[in-house]
Every structure is written in C-alpha cells, then in structure tokens.
Amino acid sequence: MNTYVLSKDHLKNLALELINTGYKVISPSKDGRRFVAISSADDLVINSNLKPSSVSMKEFFFPKTETLFFYKRNKDEYDLIDAAEVNQPQIIFGAKPCDTSAIPIVSKVFNWDYKDEFFNKKVENTIIVGLACKFADENCFCTSVGLSPVSEKGSDLFMIPLTENTYACKVISEKGKKFVSNHSKIFTETIDGKSININEIKIPEKRFESKEVKAWLDKNFNHKLWDKLGENCLGCAQCAFVCPTCHCFDIVDEECNHTCGRRAKNWDACQFEIFTKHASGHNPRNEQDKRYRQRISHKFKYYTEKFDEILCTGCGRCTRGCPVLTDIGIILEDINQLAKESISNN
Amino acid sequence: MKQLIDISKELFESKQVGYIIGYAEDKFKRVKPFVAYSSLDTERFVFNNNSVNNLAVYLTRLPKAKEGKIGIVAKGCDIKSIIALIQENQIKRDDVIIIGVNCNSVVNQIDEQFSKENTAIKCKYCQVRTPAHYDYLVGEIKEVELPEDKNFAIMQKLDSMSAEEKWNFWEAEFEKCVKCYACRQVCPLCYCEQCIVDKSMPRWIDSSATTKGNFAWNMIRAFHLSGRCIGCNECERACPAEIPLSLLNRKMGMVAINEFNYRHGTDINQPTLIGNYNVNDKEDFIM
Ligand code: SF4
Ligand code: SF4
Ligand code: SF4
Ligand code: SF4
Ligand code: SF4
C-alpha cells in the first residue's frame, strides 16, 4: 500500500475538516497526560517524544462506564429500552505502538464466546493513526513483548517523522486506504515506503524472554516471589485502570428512581478484594499476593494460552503510576532470571 | 543512613521487632517501600528526598509480626498518621517502634528528580521536619529551598465562588475520576474493613464512574476524612486522573483548625474530634 508525505499543516487541515464533518477527533492532551476529544485543530498534538499518557486511550472503545440498556417499570413488567446507538465516527491521532497494538489484542477476548457489539462498533467506527515513538524510558519494554517503537499493529495509518515538520504516513489497513481516498485532497504526495530512514528511532533492548517467563509461570503458581510482591502492593488497581490491555468489567443495575434505571458495564479490576468475592463470603483470592499473581499470570500465561497474544504492550504505564512503584518490567526480568536458574539447576 | 541501619540492626538483634517497614532502592535506584525481616535486610535501607511514601498505610495492611513489634521508618508527617491510628484505636502505641527521621522535604512524585520545583507542597508548611514523637531519631536537618504553593490561589478562588461555580469546578475535576480507589488504598486513615463503596448487597453508592457516582464517592471520602486527614497528600499523589484532592483535604483541615482548634495526629492522648462530644462545640457553620 502507498506511503504519503504529510506536513504539520496537512495534519491540522485534516483535523479541521474532520471536526467540521462530525468526527470525534482524539489526540493526546496538551500536557500529554490523557487522550482527549479536541474541538479545535490547534489542539492536535503530534509528538513522537511524548511520554505515554498516564491513562491509556482504551476509554474510547471501552468507556469507564457504558449504558447497555435502560429499564422502566410498566405495572408488573419491565420495558427494556436500547441505549442510544453511538455511530459517531472517530479518529485517534498520536497513538503509540504500545497503544494501538492493544486493540487487536483485546479484540480477541471481546469476540471470543460472545461478540461485544459495544466494543466492536466503536472499533469499526474508528480510524487509528499510529505514530512511531522516540520516547523509551526505563519502564518501557515493548520489544520484550514482540512489539517495537515502529510496530504498525493495530494502526490503520502509521506515521513516522521525516523532518521537524513532515511525516511519512503509511497506509496499513483497508479501512485506512478507504479513509485516504476519501480525503484525497490532503493525501497527495507519495514516497517510496522503503526509503524511510527509521535508524534514528532508538529501539529499546529486549529485557526478558516472554516464552521463558511463561514456562516459569506454568510451574510456579506457588512461589515466595508472590508473597514479596503482595506485601508491597496496596491493591489499588491503578495499574489495571491505566492499562491499555486490562479489560475486566462489572455489570451493574443502577436505579434512576424506583421505576426506572439502567444496566451498565463498568471497569473492574482483579486487584480489588471484592473482585473474586463469592456471595457465600468465600474469596479464592483473599490476599494481595494471589491478586498480584493473577495480574501477571493473566497477562503472560492465561491469555497467551487462550488467544496466542501477550496481554501487555510494554507501555510501562502501570509502573509509572504505581504509588509504591511496583515495576512490572523488573518483575518480569526477575521471573526470567528465576526461569534461567531453574533450567540450569535441572 | 548508617544510623538508620545501625538502629534497625540493633532492633532485630535484640529481638524487639518482627519486621521493619522502611525504604530501599530498586535496580534503577528509585526509592520505594521495603519490608526488612532480618538484620541483613536492613542493609538495604535508605532515606532521602525520594522517600515519599507514607509507610503508615502498611500498619493496618500487613499481618502482625509473628514475634516482636513492628518497626517503622517515618517522617514527621507520616508519624502524624501513626499517632492518628493510635488515637483511633487501630494500633497500640506498644505495638510499634517508630524510627523517626529528620526530614529535608520530599519530591512530589515518586519517580521524579528532586528539585525545588518538584518538592511536595505540604513541605512548605511543615512544622514537623524534626518529628514531634518517636522512639529513635536519625538524620540531620539541612537548609531546604521551599516550593511555591501553586494551590493557594486556587483555594482562595474556590472560597470566593458561588455554590454553582464550585459545583462546576468539582464536576469537571471529578469527571476525570476512573474509580480505581487508589486514593483510598494509599491512605493510612482509610482502613475500614469494608469500604461503603464495596458494599454490594445492597449497593449504597453507584459503582459507575458517572457524575453522580463520582460525586458520591469523592464526597463520601472527603466526609469520612474530615477532621481526620493529616495531610500526607498520598491520595493526590496516587490519583491517576490527577484530581487535586489536596484542595478538599486542606479545606477540611482548615475547618477543623478554625472551628474546633483541632489538629488530628498531634497528641496521642487527645480524644478525636469526631469521637468526642463537647457541648461548647460551635454549630453556627452547619448550614
Ligand atoms: S498500582 Fe501498584 S499498588 Fe496499586 S494495585 Fe497496582 S501494583 Fe498494587
Ligand atoms: S501491564 Fe503495564 S506495561 Fe503492560 S500494557 Fe498494561 S500498563 Fe502497559
Ligand atoms: S511535610 Fe515535613 S516531614 Fe513531611 S515530607 Fe515534607 S518536610 Fe518532610
Ligand atoms: S486523605 Fe489523603 S492526605 Fe489525608 S491522610 Fe488520607 S492519603 Fe493523606
Ligand atoms: S484515585 Fe483519583 S481516579 Fe482513582 S478513585 Fe480516587 S479520585 Fe478517582
């Protein structure tokens, strides 16, 4: 597929046109902390050097709270009313490979035994414009989970900085191709995709072998490492809520008043004590070490077994935000080390 | 550091403690909470401007020591929360050994470089750089450069706002809340065995992160911490949505001081503000 050259002005014009034609245009916020829907093209932030936002962009596919339907009491019965369908097209700019790749990864669970139309519809309605990343700090580990600062996974279009003011924009998906042809006034100049120099982009060193981590997890459901991790962790679930790949939700009914209400799908997380609490009062994950073990095992073992994907993109958000600096990268390095030791001991 | 390690070792060797909660560096030299179970472990202990965490939170989270007391390394502000826990009958004075540290202020965020600009605002008004209460005291006081109080102007502005304007301000802030409850989990004084938001049979507080649910949560927490918050600012530091929770806490603290002349966590023997009825208490500011 083609590769185009876009200047910052082109991008601004594109954003303006999209805002004017009813798109929800999403970009990192000016301070780079969140992804926000912008209402002026001047607020578009395209910057490869940005730190990953504190909170990921998952809320645009999987909102923190989403109405599934409303209910209304009608004498002795209940009428169910569909939630208003949201068909607004959206476009996301400035998403890093560790953001974009999360979408195909979690799509697998949202389309496993049941197709989650709420999630799917939003993905269908979204154009994702990925951006090569030049950030990489000690918390990042995309290269250890099969990705890199130039991965195109999950993007419809993918941008790589060429000069201060210009970007190469590669067309990745059919959806991206269609989008480009609909905006042919902006996408005019093409270049040879193979001629783009990505050597300038620092590729972080691999920190661990995910296969070795999984092999260790297979055999070490009980291990003193978990006790140590559970001890420091406060169980706040910040890590899950900022994570692009954490996708657990809770379904609740909430009353507006005694005759009507709504059923909602809300973010939930395995770090909460109440998450696995049974109605009987029994709690299989009654302690934080078990809950933290679940976090690591779900991402590097169970999800891999079930969906052949690692449920982590190495963005480092959970580490940066953790109030006690539980560093998932260091933990995975430690597990890899333990795996190596157990191989050499055998 | 040597003082801190020597005292900790002595506490283990004389079998006075089962474990000591302190700070240690990870492989990237970042300071974080660390629990030492032996004299050898204590060699990892550090204390510096990056020792941000209020370790008192672990006093109600970790299991009791199998033998001996719990040792804890604490700054003056953290010690206020230890005193508060004792005032509120959550721990006994005899169960803890407090290694107080002379503190030269701390960084705002755990992984930032310490500098004047990055210094926590609470340090500006600190009266307890040398802790008011401890079993051992280590470290030296140095001259420190204090940060600007960026929040003071916002607080003044909030005070002058109408109820509607205040509502709009907090609505915009609470809109960002993702209901992760990190503010609760890091708070040394949020120790309820079952938080009201976790009561699901029946539900009292909407668990959804809607305007209603977010207001309910943040207001309930503010109420429950009124006259109890000791201002360590851990909640604001932990909040991934960057909601300025300290504005609420400081306001509540000021009400307790101005209306009742009460400062929580300063005197082990003083009855708590909420737990004590005084016929002379003012009522005029209530509605
Ligand atoms: S953010 Fe940190 S403290 Fe909170 S649950 Fe996750 S690992 Fe534990
Ligand atoms: S687990 Fe942490 S590093 Fe992995 S995707 Fe989630 S936030 Fe990023
Ligand atoms: S408030 Fe005082 S004791 Fe607490 S960190 Fe700041 S200077 Fe240290
Ligand atoms: S409410 Fe916040 S500032 Fe107050 S004691 Fe709790 S964590 Fe510290
Ligand atoms: S830490 Fe912040 S986002 Fe999380 S529940 Fe508390 S106020 Fe909301």
Side-chain angles (χ1 to χ4, degrees), chain A residues 72-99:
Chain A
K72 204 169 173 214
R73 184 131 139 216
N74 181 2
K75 289 196 194 100
D76 291 333
E77 302 202 339
Y78 281 93
D79 293 336
L80 302 185
I81 304 143
D82 282 343
E85 230 176 89
V86 190
N87 278 324
Q88 187 182 17
Q90 36 182 26
I91 182 162
I92 300 184
F93 286 103
K96 291 177 183 287
C98 55
D99 291 311

PDB file of all heavy atoms in Angstrom, chain A residues 72-99:
ATOM      1  N   LYS A  72     -37.609   0.258  32.479  1.00  0.00           N
ATOM      2  CA  LYS A  72     -38.657   1.084  33.039  1.00  0.00           C
ATOM      3  C   LYS A  72     -39.764   0.164  33.518  1.00  0.00           C
ATOM      4  O   LYS A  72     -40.152  -0.774  32.810  1.00  0.00           O
ATOM      5  CB  LYS A  72     -39.187   2.010  31.929  1.00  0.00           C
ATOM      6  CG  LYS A  72     -39.812   3.240  32.471  1.00  0.00           C
ATOM      7  CD  LYS A  72     -40.078   4.254  31.394  1.00  0.00           C
ATOM      8  CE  LYS A  72     -40.860   5.360  32.063  1.00  0.00           C
ATOM      9  NZ  LYS A  72     -41.820   5.975  31.251  1.00  0.00           N
ATOM     10  N   ARG A  73     -40.218   0.409  34.710  1.00  0.00           N
ATOM     11  CA  ARG A  73     -41.270  -0.447  35.245  1.00  0.00           C
ATOM     12  C   ARG A  73     -42.593  -0.089  34.584  1.00  0.00           C
ATOM     13  O   ARG A  73     -42.956   1.072  34.469  1.00  0.00           O
ATOM     14  CB  ARG A  73     -41.358  -0.242  36.754  1.00  0.00           C
ATOM     15  CG  ARG A  73     -42.353  -1.147  37.364  1.00  0.00           C
ATOM     16  CD  ARG A  73     -41.759  -1.849  38.546  1.00  0.00           C
ATOM     17  NE  ARG A  73     -42.786  -1.863  39.570  1.00  0.00           N
ATOM     18  CZ  ARG A  73     -42.536  -1.737  40.847  1.00  0.00           C
ATOM     19  NH1 ARG A  73     -41.306  -1.570  41.261  1.00  0.00           N
ATOM     20  NH2 ARG A  73     -43.505  -1.779  41.710  1.00  0.00           N
ATOM     21  N   ASN A  74     -43.298  -1.132  34.159  1.00  0.00           N
ATOM     22  CA  ASN A  74     -44.573  -0.937  33.500  1.00  0.00           C
ATOM     23  C   ASN A  74     -45.539  -1.900  34.185  1.00  0.00           C
ATOM     24  O   ASN A  74     -45.597  -3.066  33.850  1.00  0.00           O
ATOM     25  CB  ASN A  74     -44.376  -1.258  32.005  1.00  0.00           C
ATOM     26  CG  ASN A  74     -45.646  -1.074  31.210  1.00  0.00           C
ATOM     27  OD1 ASN A  74     -46.680  -0.676  31.751  1.00  0.00           O
ATOM     28  ND2 ASN A  74     -45.573  -1.386  29.930  1.00  0.00           N
ATOM     29  N   LYS A  75     -46.264  -1.406  35.187  1.00  0.00           N
ATOM     30  CA  LYS A  75     -47.081  -2.256  36.078  1.00  0.00           C
ATOM     31  C   LYS A  75     -46.225  -3.376  36.651  1.00  0.00           C
ATOM     32  O   LYS A  75     -45.250  -3.102  37.340  1.00  0.00           O
ATOM     33  CB  LYS A  75     -48.308  -2.785  35.335  1.00  0.00           C
ATOM     34  CG  LYS A  75     -49.311  -1.667  35.076  1.00  0.00           C
ATOM     35  CD  LYS A  75     -50.682  -2.205  34.695  1.00  0.00           C
ATOM     36  CE  LYS A  75     -51.537  -1.118  34.115  1.00  0.00           C
ATOM     37  NZ  LYS A  75     -51.582  -1.140  32.634  1.00  0.00           N
ATOM     38  N   ASP A  76     -46.523  -4.631  36.311  1.00  0.00           N
ATOM     39  CA  ASP A  76     -45.744  -5.717  36.894  1.00  0.00           C
ATOM     40  C   ASP A  76     -44.605  -6.172  36.006  1.00  0.00           C
ATOM     41  O   ASP A  76     -43.960  -7.181  36.257  1.00  0.00           O
ATOM     42  CB  ASP A  76     -46.661  -6.904  37.206  1.00  0.00           C
ATOM     43  CG  ASP A  76     -47.599  -6.538  38.342  1.00  0.00           C
ATOM     44  OD1 ASP A  76     -47.201  -5.663  39.153  1.00  0.00           O
ATOM     45  OD2 ASP A  76     -48.711  -7.082  38.396  1.00  0.00           O
ATOM     46  N   GLU A  77     -44.429  -5.484  34.911  1.00  0.00           N
ATOM     47  CA  GLU A  77     -43.363  -5.895  33.994  1.00  0.00           C
ATOM     48  C   GLU A  77     -42.347  -4.784  33.833  1.00  0.00           C
ATOM     49  O   GLU A  77     -42.542  -3.680  34.299  1.00  0.00           O
ATOM     50  CB  GLU A  77     -43.982  -6.213  32.626  1.00  0.00           C
ATOM     51  CG  GLU A  77     -45.016  -7.291  32.728  1.00  0.00           C
ATOM     52  CD  GLU A  77     -45.248  -7.970  31.421  1.00  0.00           C
ATOM     53  OE1 GLU A  77     -44.916  -7.358  30.378  1.00  0.00           O
ATOM     54  OE2 GLU A  77     -45.734  -9.113  31.449  1.00  0.00           O
ATOM     55  N   TYR A  78     -41.302  -5.121  33.151  1.00  0.00           N
ATOM     56  CA  TYR A  78     -40.291  -4.109  32.859  1.00  0.00           C
ATOM     57  C   TYR A  78     -40.140  -3.941  31.352  1.00  0.00           C
ATOM     58  O   TYR A  78     -40.058  -4.924  30.627  1.00  0.00           O
ATOM     59  CB  TYR A  78     -38.937  -4.507  33.459  1.00  0.00           C
ATOM     60  CG  TYR A  78     -38.865  -4.232  34.942  1.00  0.00           C
ATOM     61  CD1 TYR A  78     -39.200  -5.219  35.864  1.00  0.00           C
ATOM     62  CD2 TYR A  78     -38.473  -2.980  35.399  1.00  0.00           C
ATOM     63  CE1 TYR A  78     -39.148  -4.955  37.228  1.00  0.00           C
ATOM     64  CE2 TYR A  78     -38.412  -2.708  36.758  1.00  0.00           C
ATOM     65  CZ  TYR A  78     -38.759  -3.693  37.669  1.00  0.00           C
ATOM     66  OH  TYR A  78     -38.706  -3.432  39.009  1.00  0.00           O
ATOM     67  N   ASP A  79     -40.121  -2.710  30.883  1.00  0.00           N
ATOM     68  CA  ASP A  79     -39.802  -2.456  29.478  1.00  0.00           C
ATOM     69  C   ASP A  79     -38.313  -2.206  29.375  1.00  0.00           C
ATOM     70  O   ASP A  79     -37.744  -1.478  30.190  1.00  0.00           O
ATOM     71  CB  ASP A  79     -40.528  -1.194  28.977  1.00  0.00           C
ATOM     72  CG  ASP A  79     -42.029  -1.415  28.935  1.00  0.00           C
ATOM     73  OD1 ASP A  79     -42.435  -2.593  28.831  1.00  0.00           O
ATOM     74  OD2 ASP A  79     -42.778  -0.412  29.020  1.00  0.00           O
ATOM     75  N   LEU A  80     -37.703  -2.804  28.360  1.00  0.00           N
ATOM     76  CA  LEU A  80     -36.284  -2.566  28.140  1.00  0.00           C
ATOM     77  C   LEU A  80     -36.117  -1.605  26.971  1.00  0.00           C
ATOM     78  O   LEU A  80     -36.742  -1.766  25.928  1.00  0.00           O
ATOM     79  CB  LEU A  80     -35.548  -3.875  27.846  1.00  0.00           C
ATOM     80  CG  LEU A  80     -35.668  -4.941  28.935  1.00  0.00           C
ATOM     81  CD1 LEU A  80     -34.798  -6.153  28.586  1.00  0.00           C
ATOM     82  CD2 LEU A  80     -35.275  -4.404  30.302  1.00  0.00           C
ATOM     83  N   ILE A  81     -35.297  -0.622  27.170  1.00  0.00           N
ATOM     84  CA  ILE A  81     -35.101   0.391  26.133  1.00  0.00           C
ATOM     85  C   ILE A  81     -33.629   0.390  25.742  1.00  0.00           C
ATOM     86  O   ILE A  81     -32.747   0.503  26.608  1.00  0.00           O
ATOM     87  CB  ILE A  81     -35.501   1.792  26.659  1.00  0.00           C
ATOM     88  CG1 ILE A  81     -36.950   1.750  27.158  1.00  0.00           C
ATOM     89  CG2 ILE A  81     -35.308   2.878  25.603  1.00  0.00           C
ATOM     90  CD1 ILE A  81     -37.199   2.586  28.375  1.00  0.00           C
ATOM     91  N   ASP A  82     -33.371   0.245  24.447  1.00  0.00           N
ATOM     92  CA  ASP A  82     -31.970   0.221  23.998  1.00  0.00           C
ATOM     93  C   ASP A  82     -31.266   1.514  24.355  1.00  0.00           C
ATOM     94  O   ASP A  82     -31.861   2.588  24.304  1.00  0.00           O
ATOM     95  CB  ASP A  82     -31.917   0.052  22.471  1.00  0.00           C
ATOM     96  CG  ASP A  82     -32.166  -1.395  22.091  1.00  0.00           C
ATOM     97  OD1 ASP A  82     -32.057  -2.256  22.975  1.00  0.00           O
ATOM     98  OD2 ASP A  82     -32.480  -1.662  20.909  1.00  0.00           O
ATOM     99  N   ALA A  83     -29.988   1.397  24.665  1.00  0.00           N
ATOM    100  CA  ALA A  83     -29.186   2.605  24.873  1.00  0.00           C
ATOM    101  C   ALA A  83     -29.038   3.265  23.509  1.00  0.00           C
ATOM    102  O   ALA A  83     -29.004   2.587  22.487  1.00  0.00           O
ATOM    103  CB  ALA A  83     -27.819   2.230  25.422  1.00  0.00           C
ATOM    104  N   ALA A  84     -28.974   4.586  23.508  1.00  0.00           N
ATOM    105  CA  ALA A  84     -28.851   5.301  22.238  1.00  0.00           C
ATOM    106  C   ALA A  84     -27.618   4.790  21.507  1.00  0.00           C
ATOM    107  O   ALA A  84     -26.543   4.657  22.089  1.00  0.00           O
ATOM    108  CB  ALA A  84     -28.710   6.791  22.503  1.00  0.00           C
ATOM    109  N   GLU A  85     -27.787   4.473  20.237  1.00  0.00           N
ATOM    110  CA  GLU A  85     -26.664   3.935  19.488  1.00  0.00           C
ATOM    111  C   GLU A  85     -25.703   5.057  19.127  1.00  0.00           C
ATOM    112  O   GLU A  85     -26.118   6.104  18.643  1.00  0.00           O
ATOM    113  CB  GLU A  85     -27.192   3.280  18.215  1.00  0.00           C
ATOM    114  CG  GLU A  85     -26.631   1.900  18.052  1.00  0.00           C
ATOM    115  CD  GLU A  85     -27.208   1.211  16.852  1.00  0.00           C
ATOM    116  OE1 GLU A  85     -26.607   1.373  15.784  1.00  0.00           O
ATOM    117  OE2 GLU A  85     -28.254   0.547  16.998  1.00  0.00           O
ATOM    118  N   VAL A  86     -24.460   4.817  19.397  1.00  0.00           N
ATOM    119  CA  VAL A  86     -23.469   5.841  19.071  1.00  0.00           C
ATOM    120  C   VAL A  86     -22.756   5.428  17.794  1.00  0.00           C
ATOM    121  O   VAL A  86     -22.056   4.431  17.765  1.00  0.00           O
ATOM    122  CB  VAL A  86     -22.441   5.999  20.212  1.00  0.00           C
ATOM    123  CG1 VAL A  86     -21.581   7.225  19.981  1.00  0.00           C
ATOM    124  CG2 VAL A  86     -23.142   6.071  21.547  1.00  0.00           C
ATOM    125  N   ASN A  87     -22.999   6.165  16.755  1.00  0.00           N
ATOM    126  CA  ASN A  87     -22.367   5.814  15.494  1.00  0.00           C
ATOM    127  C   ASN A  87     -21.385   6.864  15.024  1.00  0.00           C
ATOM    128  O   ASN A  87     -20.964   6.864  13.889  1.00  0.00           O
ATOM    129  CB  ASN A  87     -23.423   5.601  14.407  1.00  0.00           C
ATOM    130  CG  ASN A  87     -23.992   4.204  14.518  1.00  0.00           C
ATOM    131  OD1 ASN A  87     -23.270   3.272  14.849  1.00  0.00           O
ATOM    132  ND2 ASN A  87     -25.272   4.076  14.260  1.00  0.00           N
ATOM    133  N   GLN A  88     -21.028   7.775  15.945  1.00  0.00           N
ATOM    134  CA  GLN A  88     -20.141   8.856  15.527  1.00  0.00           C
ATOM    135  C   GLN A  88     -18.788   8.281  15.104  1.00  0.00           C
ATOM    136  O   GLN A  88     -18.175   7.513  15.846  1.00  0.00           O
ATOM    137  CB  GLN A  88     -19.941   9.841  16.691  1.00  0.00           C
ATOM    138  CG  GLN A  88     -19.164  11.067  16.270  1.00  0.00           C
ATOM    139  CD  GLN A  88     -18.912  12.024  17.437  1.00  0.00           C
ATOM    140  OE1 GLN A  88     -19.030  11.646  18.595  1.00  0.00           O
ATOM    141  NE2 GLN A  88     -18.552  13.243  17.113  1.00  0.00           N
ATOM    142  N   PRO A  89     -18.329   8.632  13.908  1.00  0.00           N
ATOM    143  CA  PRO A  89     -17.006   8.153  13.524  1.00  0.00           C
ATOM    144  C   PRO A  89     -15.948   8.840  14.378  1.00  0.00           C
ATOM    145  O   PRO A  89     -16.104   9.998  14.750  1.00  0.00           O
ATOM    146  CB  PRO A  89     -16.886   8.575  12.057  1.00  0.00           C
ATOM    147  CG  PRO A  89     -17.834   9.712  11.892  1.00  0.00           C
ATOM    148  CD  PRO A  89     -18.945   9.491  12.882  1.00  0.00           C
ATOM    149  N   GLN A  90     -14.909   8.120  14.734  1.00  0.00           N
ATOM    150  CA  GLN A  90     -13.830   8.751  15.486  1.00  0.00           C
ATOM    151  C   GLN A  90     -12.483   8.463  14.842  1.00  0.00           C
ATOM    152  O   GLN A  90     -12.303   7.482  14.135  1.00  0.00           O
ATOM    153  CB  GLN A  90     -13.853   8.389  16.977  1.00  0.00           C
ATOM    154  CG  GLN A  90     -14.282   6.987  17.342  1.00  0.00           C
ATOM    155  CD  GLN A  90     -14.320   6.753  18.859  1.00  0.00           C
ATOM    156  OE1 GLN A  90     -14.487   7.677  19.657  1.00  0.00           O
ATOM    157  NE2 GLN A  90     -14.155   5.514  19.275  1.00  0.00           N
ATOM    158  N   ILE A  91     -11.539   9.348  15.107  1.00  0.00           N
ATOM    159  CA  ILE A  91     -10.180   9.157  14.615  1.00  0.00           C
ATOM    160  C   ILE A  91      -9.226   9.483  15.757  1.00  0.00           C
ATOM    161  O   ILE A  91      -9.441  10.433  16.506  1.00  0.00           O
ATOM    162  CB  ILE A  91      -9.899  10.028  13.364  1.00  0.00           C
ATOM    163  CG1 ILE A  91      -8.481   9.773  12.838  1.00  0.00           C
ATOM    164  CG2 ILE A  91     -10.093  11.518  13.625  1.00  0.00           C
ATOM    165  CD1 ILE A  91      -8.268  10.228  11.390  1.00  0.00           C
ATOM    166  N   ILE A  92      -8.214   8.640  15.919  1.00  0.00           N
ATOM    167  CA  ILE A  92      -7.250   8.859  17.004  1.00  0.00           C
ATOM    168  C   ILE A  92      -5.888   9.165  16.402  1.00  0.00           C
ATOM    169  O   ILE A  92      -5.368   8.391  15.595  1.00  0.00           O
ATOM    170  CB  ILE A  92      -7.168   7.620  17.908  1.00  0.00           C
ATOM    171  CG1 ILE A  92      -8.546   7.339  18.502  1.00  0.00           C
ATOM    172  CG2 ILE A  92      -6.132   7.826  19.012  1.00  0.00           C
ATOM    173  CD1 ILE A  92      -8.603   6.216  19.493  1.00  0.00           C
ATOM    174  N   PHE A  93      -5.351  10.314  16.765  1.00  0.00           N
ATOM    175  CA  PHE A  93      -4.012  10.699  16.316  1.00  0.00           C
ATOM    176  C   PHE A  93      -3.010  10.495  17.447  1.00  0.00           C
ATOM    177  O   PHE A  93      -3.368  10.502  18.627  1.00  0.00           O
ATOM    178  CB  PHE A  93      -3.979  12.187  15.933  1.00  0.00           C
ATOM    179  CG  PHE A  93      -4.657  12.498  14.639  1.00  0.00           C
ATOM    180  CD1 PHE A  93      -5.924  13.086  14.616  1.00  0.00           C
ATOM    181  CD2 PHE A  93      -4.034  12.212  13.419  1.00  0.00           C
ATOM    182  CE1 PHE A  93      -6.552  13.387  13.419  1.00  0.00           C
ATOM    183  CE2 PHE A  93      -4.660  12.516  12.222  1.00  0.00           C
ATOM    184  CZ  PHE A  93      -5.921  13.103  12.218  1.00  0.00           C
ATOM    185  N   GLY A  94      -1.762  10.357  17.066  1.00  0.00           N
ATOM    186  CA  GLY A  94      -0.688  10.388  18.062  1.00  0.00           C
ATOM    187  C   GLY A  94      -0.639   9.188  18.983  1.00  0.00           C
ATOM    188  O   GLY A  94      -0.066   9.273  20.062  1.00  0.00           O
ATOM    189  N   ALA A  95      -1.239   8.067  18.569  1.00  0.00           N
ATOM    190  CA  ALA A  95      -1.212   6.878  19.428  1.00  0.00           C
ATOM    191  C   ALA A  95       0.084   6.108  19.171  1.00  0.00           C
ATOM    192  O   ALA A  95       0.469   5.888  18.023  1.00  0.00           O
ATOM    193  CB  ALA A  95      -2.424   6.006  19.137  1.00  0.00           C
ATOM    194  N   LYS A  96       0.729   5.710  20.243  1.00  0.00           N
ATOM    195  CA  LYS A  96       1.996   4.978  20.110  1.00  0.00           C
ATOM    196  C   LYS A  96       1.724   3.507  19.801  1.00  0.00           C
ATOM    197  O   LYS A  96       0.636   3.008  20.106  1.00  0.00           O
ATOM    198  CB  LYS A  96       2.768   5.075  21.432  1.00  0.00           C
ATOM    199  CG  LYS A  96       3.276   6.461  21.741  1.00  0.00           C
ATOM    200  CD  LYS A  96       3.957   6.484  23.086  1.00  0.00           C
ATOM    201  CE  LYS A  96       4.407   7.881  23.438  1.00  0.00           C
ATOM    202  NZ  LYS A  96       5.574   8.324  22.670  1.00  0.00           N
ATOM    203  N   PRO A  97       2.711   2.789  19.290  1.00  0.00           N
ATOM    204  CA  PRO A  97       2.527   1.355  19.047  1.00  0.00           C
ATOM    205  C   PRO A  97       2.048   0.595  20.289  1.00  0.00           C
ATOM    206  O   PRO A  97       1.261  -0.347  20.173  1.00  0.00           O
ATOM    207  CB  PRO A  97       3.919   0.883  18.622  1.00  0.00           C
ATOM    208  CG  PRO A  97       4.530   2.088  17.989  1.00  0.00           C
ATOM    209  CD  PRO A  97       4.018   3.256  18.777  1.00  0.00           C
ATOM    210  N   CYS A  98       2.462   1.037  21.489  1.00  0.00           N
ATOM    211  CA  CYS A  98       2.001   0.333  22.692  1.00  0.00           C
ATOM    212  C   CYS A  98       0.552   0.696  23.026  1.00  0.00           C
ATOM    213  O   CYS A  98      -0.047   0.089  23.913  1.00  0.00           O
ATOM    214  CB  CYS A  98       2.925   0.597  23.876  1.00  0.00           C
ATOM    215  SG  CYS A  98       3.167   2.334  24.255  1.00  0.00           S
ATOM    216  N   ASP A  99      -0.030   1.695  22.326  1.00  0.00           N
ATOM    217  CA  ASP A  99      -1.460   1.995  22.460  1.00  0.00           C
ATOM    218  C   ASP A  99      -2.247   1.231  21.402  1.00  0.00           C
ATOM    219  O   ASP A  99      -3.216   0.540  21.694  1.00  0.00           O
ATOM    220  CB  ASP A  99      -1.729   3.495  22.217  1.00  0.00           C
ATOM    221  CG  ASP A  99      -1.174   4.380  23.307  1.00  0.00           C
ATOM    222  OD1 ASP A  99      -1.430   4.083  24.469  1.00  0.00           O
ATOM    223  OD2 ASP A  99      -0.515   5.383  22.971  1.00  0.00           O
TER     224      ASP A  99
END
